[in-house]
Amino acid sequence: TMTNRELLREIYKESKAINRNIQRVANVGLLGIFERVAKEAEKNDDEDGKFIVKVGASLIVVTEIFLLLRDIMDHQKFKMEGE
């Protein structure tokens, strides 16, 4: 059986993973929005729109890198605690 402390740690771990997955889903939604903006900007030759898409997509990439690094760090942390 799990102690209260172990159970709370497992809940905490799962909560963090769920929050990161929600962020990833939001990023996918934003990519869809940026895709529509990019098509419209390309069609209208809108330089500001193209710039916004580039900046937004770049920020999503940075966010995904941070999420991946956090996943790796948490995996290592919980792996070391389990030993």
Side-chain angles (χ1 to χ4, degrees):
T1 64
M2 297 178 84
T3 65
N4 283 343
R5 182 177 175 87
E6 291 169 334
L7 184 58
L8 287 174
R9 293 194 68 60
E10 187 65 28
I11 292 169
Y12 175 72
K13 177 182 168 184
E14 292 299 320
S15 176
K16 287 179 75 172
I18 289 169
N19 287 339
R20 285 191 296 268
N21 287 335
I22 290 170
Q23 180 64 48
R24 286 184 177 101
V25 169
N27 285 345
V28 169
L30 285 172
L31 284 174
I33 292 170
F34 284 133
E35 180 183 13
R36 283 183 273 166
V37 171
K39 286 179 183 178
E40 195 66 29
E42 190 65 35
K43 187 171 78 172
N44 297 330
D45 198 32
D46 179 4
E47 292 302 318
D48 290 336
K50 291 177 187 178
F51 178 75
I52 289 171
V53 169
K54 287 178 187 175
V55 171
S58 298
L59 290 174
I60 289 173
V61 168
V62 170
T63 301
E64 288 296 324
I65 290 170
F66 283 130
L67 290 171
L68 177 64
L69 291 174
R70 192 69 228 180
D71 280 340
I72 293 168
M73 289 170 47
D74 282 349
H75 177 72
Q76 292 296 326
K77 177 182 171 184
F78 286 110
K79 184 178 173 184
M80 287 174 42
E81 289 175 357
E83 293 176 351

